[in-house]
Amino acid sequence: MAYGKMKEFLQTELKSVRDGGLYKEERYIFGPQGADIKVEFPAGAPQKEVLNFCANNYLGLSSHPETVKSAHKALDDWGYGLSSVRFICGTQDIHRQLEQKIAAFLGLDDAILYSSCFDANGGLFEVLFKEEDAILTDALNHASVIDGIRLAKAKRYIIKHMDMEDLEKQLSSPEVKAARFRVFATDGAFSMDGDVAPLAKICDLCEKYDCLVMVDDSHSTGFMGKHGKGTHEHCGVMGRVDIITSTMGKALGGASGGFTAARKEIVELLRQRSRPYLFSNTLGPVIAYSAITIIDLLSKSTERRDKLEKNTMYFRKAMTEAGFDIRPGVHPIVPIMLYNAKLAQDFARDMYAEGIYVIGFFFPVVGKGLARIRVQLSAGHEMEHIDKAIAAFIKVGKKYDILKKSKDEIIAKYGL
Ligand code: PLP
């Protein structure tokens, strides 16, 4: 039996994942996503009510009554599925409406929908960039940007994370200058650090060296910038970014779906040639219609992104004052630096016991010796939720004696 040999190999692989402490156990949530959730962890343990500080539910819209109401309406009016790719018989009026709404909201010419942002990134680069082109890419870009670039035949240049000197050095190299087209691809906000790409400087440099700018704004669409348009609004470069990819799987309702918004001809060619668009089923009508409702909601009022900003700044300030080592910034992703992987795991476990659901991240998800707990704020959090989280952090922080301690002191105590 062919599988016998492979089975043994896979069992060994799985054992090494477990032995390395890298095995990911899934935790079951009972009921809808939100600030208060019921979780069963570990498997078989009694369900526990916890406050959720680890979802990408930035605007608290995942189970919001408006979202759910529009999903019900969509089911009634447009059915459940289309059983077709877009170009055969999988395009309803709402799919095109959503594309136009996204483009108008982001200030770009047009947009094209995908089943996910992973697909949007996967189907982007190979259509536009060939052997004679150059793709420059931030070293910490999301896996889907990396994979999308891998599929293209263009030459690839990795830029040190958010290092503008390195970007200029590589843009001005004879090889990159000789390319037919150039593009610099970056996440708008980076998911592990919550840092925001310096898009003003990036646009200046890219304009100087005749290079397009592509931003994956999955962790920003809907809430970064004064009107929630994203990091291009936050950085004051609307109209200067050529391509934005993003997801409906985070702030915009959290179900699934992605898109590429870009200049007119780019979107037109993607519709002709982008493989995950051409060869994969259309987005469910429920998602298309609910996303329209959400974009309308966000276009009318900035209330939810304002609340998220207030929650974020409140949490960041209180945690800094309490003596935690947090990476500074303005994004609702707040990394609480612990450096040691075991400490991050133990800390997260103790927070769970206190009723606060947060996750410890360590190598290889982040660099060696950079273990942390990543907190994600939401407009779905009320002040009392945030105060409870802060109080639990302080209690557990005292237990491990890491408050008001420098990085070196934490490392001296716990090692790397
Ligand atoms: N890009 C970034 C920066 C992300 O964080 C993610 C999700 O983790 C994706 C793309 C993929 O988005 P989706 O879940 O829509 O495939």
Side-chain angles (χ1 to χ4, degrees), residues 6 30 112 115 140 146 162 165 181 194 218 220 225 285 291 308 311-312 331 365 374 402:
M6 188 175 192
F30 294 80
I112 171 172
S115 299
L140 293 191
I146 295 171
M162 297 206 326
E165 262 178 44
F181 303 130
S218 292
S220 299
L308 173 60
N311 286 353
T312 299
H331 197 275
V365 181
R374 180 179 74 167
I402 54 138

Side-chain angles (χ1 to χ4, degrees), residues 17-18 22-30 37-46 54 352 357 359:
V17 176
R18 278 185 204 278
L22 302 175
Y23 196 87
K24 294 174 197 63
E25 300 280 359
E26 298 192 350
R27 301 154 195 225
Y28 305 131
I29 293 180
F30 294 80
I37 50 170
K38 265 198 211 125
V39 180
E40 177 192 301
F41 184 75
C54 57
Y352 186 76
Y357 191 19
I359 305 285

Side-chain angles (χ1 to χ4, degrees), residues 258-302:
F259 59 82
T260 298
R263 303 203 185 270
K264 177 176 175 294
E265 296 75 13
I266 292 178
V267 173
E268 203 173 336
L269 194 65
L270 289 174
R271 228 180 270 289
Q272 301 306 311
R273 302 231 174 109
S274 181
R275 292 164 72 83
Y277 180 80
L278 292 174
F279 302 113
S280 184
N281 199 44
T282 190
L283 197 65
V286 166
I287 293 175
Y289 185 69
S290 304
I292 290 176
T293 308
I294 287 169
I295 290 177
D296 283 346
L297 199 82
L298 303 182
S299 305
K300 276 193 217 114
S301 161
T302 60

Side-chain angles (χ1 to χ4, degrees), residues 384-404:
E384 76 218 45
H385 297 144
I386 301 174
D387 283 336
K388 270 192 194 156
I390 295 164
F393 265 110
I394 292 174
K395 183 173 171 192
V396 179
K398 279 185 183 152
K399 171 177 167 185
Y400 291 102
D401 191 24
I402 54 138
L403 294 181
K404 301 197 193 301

Side-chain angles (χ1 to χ4, degrees), residues 116-118 121 142 144 187 191 216 218-219 247 250 257:
S116 67
C117 185
F118 208 107
N121 288 331
H142 188 258
S144 55
D187 285 11
S191 63
D216 175 338
S218 292
H219 284 281
T247 183
K250 303 190 195 294

